[in-house]
Amino acid sequence: MGLKITPGSETLRWGPYSILLLTKPSLSEENCYGVYNGQPPRVTIEILDGLSPSITSATMFHELVHAVDESLGLGLTEKAVRGVEVGMCSILQQNPEWARRWLEGLLETP
Ligand SMILES: [Zn+2]
């Protein structure tokens, strides 16, 4: 089971923001798997179609870090965004049972 994006019809909510997720057969930027566009509250994230589930999920995480960076004015460099992506995704991938419990706890309603 992997992350599947329904092209053009999936939207993530984040506070007042709405992030439209799109899959594309090719991207405007070469040598990348995802592209973050826009400034909150109007944001799109494009993900290259046909990637493996783990690459799709890591790319989505990367582009969401860009969205958080932009909306909060953090001023993260591409290197910092990539570092957060690789670090967090590696921790989750190397500890899958813990990651499932962590996510269940995060999503548990009080
Ligand atoms: Zn990036």
Side-chain angles (χ1 to χ4, degrees):
M1 179 165 63
L3 182 62
K4 273 284 186 194
I5 301 167
T6 305
S9 65
E10 196 161 1
T11 303
L12 296 181
R13 289 184 345 199
W14 178 41
Y17 307 137
S18 181
I19 304 170
L20 179 63
L21 307 178
L22 304 164
T23 57
K24 300 271 186 156
S26 64
L27 299 176
S28 55
E29 295 180 29
E30 291 185 20
N31 301 320
C32 68
Y33 297 145
V35 177
Y36 167 84
N37 296 305
Q39 291 190 332
R42 189 148 187 80
V43 172
T44 62
I45 291 176
E46 299 175 356
I47 303 292
L48 191 61
D49 207 5
L51 299 172
S52 71
S54 65
I55 298 293
T56 298
S57 293
T59 303
M60 182 62 59
F61 187 95
H62 179 102
E63 301 308 331
L64 289 172
V65 174
H66 277 303
V68 171
D69 175 38
E70 184 82 26
S71 65
L72 298 180
L74 300 177
L76 298 179
T77 62
E78 183 63 28
K79 182 179 179 181
V81 171
R82 178 85 174 125
V84 171
E85 172 215 328
V86 170
M88 289 303 298
C89 289
S90 294
I91 290 169
L92 295 171
Q93 288 172 326
Q94 291 173 22
N95 301 280
E97 283 308 314
W98 176 86
R100 285 184 186 90
R101 292 197 317 271
W102 172 78
L103 186 57
E104 285 173 9
L106 188 67
L107 298 177
E108 188 172 295
T109 51

